[in-house]
Amino acid sequence: MSAERLYFRQLLAGRDFAVGDPIATQMRNFAYLIGDRGTGECVVVDPAYAAGDLAGIAENDGLKLSGVLVTHHHPDHIGGSMMGFTLRGVKELLEESTVPVHVNDEEKSWVANVTGIAPSELTGHGHGDKLSVGVFDIEFLHTPGHTPGSQCFLVDDKLIAGDTLFIDGCGRTDFPGGDSAAMFASLRSLADMPINPEVYPGHWYSADPHASLDSIRDNNYVLRPRSLAEWHALMPG
């Protein structure tokens, strides 16, 4: 598929949008826009801050939002109450236009509780499901561990990894719903992929904002354990 036709933007909260928002600046979240320049369709991944800004960026680029993709339910990814602030997030987008909100089936109740969006308004997915955006298919990969329904998105040669896999490290498992053993299994499933996509994380916690999976395999310490026992020795608790 033509690389020129794929619309893909990695946007840093507090810099590229939500400028001046103190929580966005502190948390260093990435949001993503994925679309088809040919059809003008576009989806947004994890619009927690200034969701209207993200819709505006897409519109300025000649695309219109047709859906929301959610990596997991934490407020810094979808909106909700955090650090004494309320992030309007996905709910703000739905006030402007009615578009599907795509979540993992295991995450539906969590997303509903955090955002106040009714479960009936959420579109659930399982591992391996695909969503077509124009001529491009986005594959949903269920990667529990950080949360029960954490998921990654694979499109073209790009893997949006949310808080499952960072360039350095991985998401925490000590929040409600976290599961260390599940995280190990999810990390191994990503490390063992027979392809080498460019990995785009949920936060900018490293020198580089993205990196190839091969590079992460070689350099990220969380991918070194080959057994659950080795994992627990590295990441106790």
Side-chain angles (χ1 to χ4, degrees):
M1 203 67 66
S2 170
E4 291 77 20
R5 182 162 179 173
L6 176 66
Y7 172 78
F8 185 89
R9 293 195 65 173
Q10 180 187 47
L11 299 161
L12 181 64
R15 184 194 68 183
D16 301 320
F17 67 103
V19 176
D21 184 313
I23 304 300
T25 302
Q26 176 179 343
M27 296 300 294
R28 298 178 66 79
N29 285 90
F30 285 120
Y32 295 90
L33 294 171
I34 310 168
D36 181 339
R37 289 189 175 93
T39 64
E41 300 171 67
C42 176
V43 294
V44 59
V45 179
D46 289 356
Y49 312 92
D53 287 5
L54 292 166
I57 290 170
E59 289 173 7
N60 288 339
D61 290 340
L63 290 95
K64 183 176 181 180
L65 289 182
S66 60
V68 176
L69 274 59
V70 172
T71 63
H72 64 289
H73 73 267
H74 289 157
D76 60 316
H77 291 262
I78 59 170
S81 297
M82 183 176 184
M83 299 182 185
F85 292 83
T86 298
L87 309 177
R88 296 184 64 205
V90 175
K91 205 162 189 181
E92 179 182 354
L93 275 182
L94 296 183
E95 290 171 359
E96 299 298 324
S97 58
T98 303
V99 296
V101 179
H102 301 277
V103 305
N104 182 269
D105 286 323
E106 298 295 324
E107 204 81 350
K108 265 189 172 184
S109 62
W110 297 83
V111 171
N113 287 337
V114 169
T115 62
I117 297 170
S120 60
E121 296 182 58
L122 303 172
T123 301
H125 292 274
H127 181 76
D129 284 0
K130 293 182 179 180
L131 173 70
S132 294
V133 180
V135 298
F136 297 98
D137 285 338
I138 301 174
E139 185 176 359
F140 295 75
L141 306 178
H142 184 203
T143 54
H146 185 58
T147 70
S150 285
Q151 59 182 351
C152 301
F153 306 114
L154 182 65
V155 57
D156 198 49
D157 59 351
K158 298 169 172 54
L159 177 70
I160 299 173
D163 283 7
T164 298
L165 178 63
F166 300 135
I167 308 306
D168 298 314
C170 64
R172 296 169 58 167
T173 60
D174 58 341
F175 292 137
D179 185 318
S180 180
M183 177 63 89
F184 171 72
S186 293
L187 291 174
R188 290 312 322 159
S189 72
L190 296 179
D192 293 340
M193 293 175 74
I195 55 176
N196 180 34
E198 192 74 4
V199 177
Y200 292 84
H203 294 264
W204 195 355
Y205 288 162
S206 54
D208 298 317
H210 52 84
S212 70
L213 183 56
D214 277 352
S215 173
I216 296 171
R217 288 182 181 114
D218 291 340
N219 297 297
N220 192 334
Y221 68 95
V222 301
L223 297 187
R224 291 175 191 158
R226 305 294 298 186
S227 69
L228 188 57
E230 290 179 355
W231 169 254
H232 284 317
L234 176 69
M235 307 285 278

